[in-house]
Each structure stands twice: as C-alpha cells, then as structure tokens.
Amino acid sequence: MSIGEASAASAPTLERVAELAGVSRSTVSRVVNGSPNVTPEVVTAVTAAIDRLGYVPNRAARSLASRRTHAIALVIPENTAKFFADPYFASVIQGAAMYLADTEYTLSLLIASETESEKTRRYLQGGNVDGALILSHHSDDSSYVQLSQRMPVVFGGRPMSEDSSQSYFVDVDNVAAAREATQYLIDHGKKNIATISGPHDMASGIDRTQGWREALEAAGLDASLHEEGDFSPSGGEQAMRRLLDRGQPIDGLFAASAQMASGALVALREHGLRVPEDIGIVSIDNDYYAQNSLPPLTTIDQPSVRQGSAIAEVVVRLINGEDVPRRTIIPTHLIERQSV
C-alpha cells in the first residue's frame, strides 16, 4: 500500500462521524453544511464526533454538490494608487473580513482598474464566487448593477446607475452628515462657508454637496462657494487654491473628506491663513488624516469598519436566500476637535 493509499484509508469519513455521533450520514452532512434544520443536541453530538476524529470536510466535493464556492469578492473599481492611499478601503476590508471570519466564506480582493473592468466582470460571472461587494462605484459604470441581476451583489455606498433602484447597498446618510457638518460651522458664527465636494459621478459627492447647500439655504447664506475635488489630499489642495483665487471672503470650509481637508490646509498655510482663527474647517471621515492634521479636524465619523461588516452580512444573507432590506443606513456622529 502506498503512502497516499494509507492516508486515504485512515482519513476520517462522514460515515465514521455519523457512527460515532449515533446519527445518519445525511444528518452529519446537514450539520457540516450549516443547515438550520438540525436540533442543538444533534449539532453538539456531531461537532464532538468531528473534533474527536479530526474530520475535515471536503470543500471541493461540497462545492460541487451545493454549486457554491464559499468565496466572496470585494471589488474596488479604482486604480491601485488610489486604493493604497485611501484608508477608507482598508477599514471596509477589515470590517468585511472580521464578519466573514465567523462564516464558511473567504474574501477575495479585486482591484478593477478601467482597463481590467471587463476581465473582472468575466471572473465574477464565471462561477468563481458566490457573491460580490462593490466599493467606490461611479455613475459611468452600470455593469456592476447589471451583474446584480445574475448573482448576489451589495454596494458599499449608494450606486449611481439609472437602473440601480433594485440594488442592495449599505451607506451612511451623506446628505444628513454634510448638513450637520455645515450647521456646526454656522452655529460657530461662520457666514461665508465654502465646500470642497467629492466627484459628482459618485453618490457621496452629490449627496454631501446637497447637505452643505441645504444647511446654508436654511440659514439664508450664500451657497456658491463650491469647488469639486476627488477625495484625495492633492485634489483638496487644488480645489482650495481655486476657492482662494476667487477673491471672495471665506471664513468656513466643509470638506467632503478628511483627505481633502488635509490638502486644503496646505493651500491655506501658503496663503497665510490660520485654522481655526481665520477659517474653520469640518470634514467627513475620522481617519488618519482627520486625527493627525494640524490642527486635528472636527469631523463626521462614518464608521467604515462597521460598514464593511454590514455589506458582508447582507451579501451572505442574500446568498442564503434570506429577505434583506435593499437599503442599510449606518449612523454617523460628529467629533469635535480643534479646527473650528
């Protein structure tokens, strides 16, 4: 007998687990596959038998039988430079991985640049994963929304495509968050409040601009001091320079991300303007940039780790055929620091 044959002969089987637990082979199979139609007492007995024998389920055979891969893709349709520079992505991935650690599913990360988007979609549709999580979705790409008609897909953030009304997504209330940030500046006596928004091909960019405008209009203040950024420090710096070049008075700034606020601080220092003495700043994101800027930023905390956990939970529930709300909104809260 060869080493391989001896190993196969001695390896614990489903039948041996069933015999030791005093149940049928099909019952052991239901326990291994996480079926809810098994009593707690039987689960305990089968689990004890599995532990005693050292039985390891054959994942390949189970995948063939169930037509599941037990893999979930997290797709980020951005270039690699943006992905590695933005702490938001790391936090969401951490949350998703933490949730999936207690399930049968593994997480596969796919960074889908514009040149590779079609290859990514072919991979997702090729039976390689059971579901997908999509972050940083842009309005000019409806293919991931269309993909959701073929497999469980959950978006981190409200999708922008016209055909996205039936999509599942997890997000914060970006309009309310921006309105609260702007209102904080108003409550601290600011009258000429500008914004550096995110890109307007993303829902968060549009919604945060809307919240800023709503707060100003409700207070009877001008809402024309707006420049668009790209959520990056360099984008915030360039947008702040454009605002200053207008020559209009500015005593407050709502930056739609802490990264852009950190870039705006560079432009303000170059112009000899002090924060908060000359201009107060409130941002969104309680990340490294918010905590380590000089001064540290008053900001709206959107809990991205919790968002990652929530999108993973929703996609697993969809895979399992559960009834899930299409919109899951994560609460935010304001953190006061020294920038106002």
Side-chain angles (χ1 to χ4, degrees), residues 16 22 59 131 142 156 160 170 175 182 211 213 216 237 239 249 261 289:
R16 290 181 63 194
R59 183 175 292 276
S142 63
M160 283 284 293
V170 177
V175 175
T182 308
R213 181 171 290 110
L216 291 182
E237 182 179 348
Y289 292 91

Side-chain angles (χ1 to χ4, degrees), residues 120-136:
T120 301
R121 286 187 288 274
R122 287 198 305 270
Y123 175 82
L124 295 174
Q125 294 180 70
N128 297 292
V129 297
D130 297 328
L133 313 174
I134 313 294
L135 295 184
S136 197

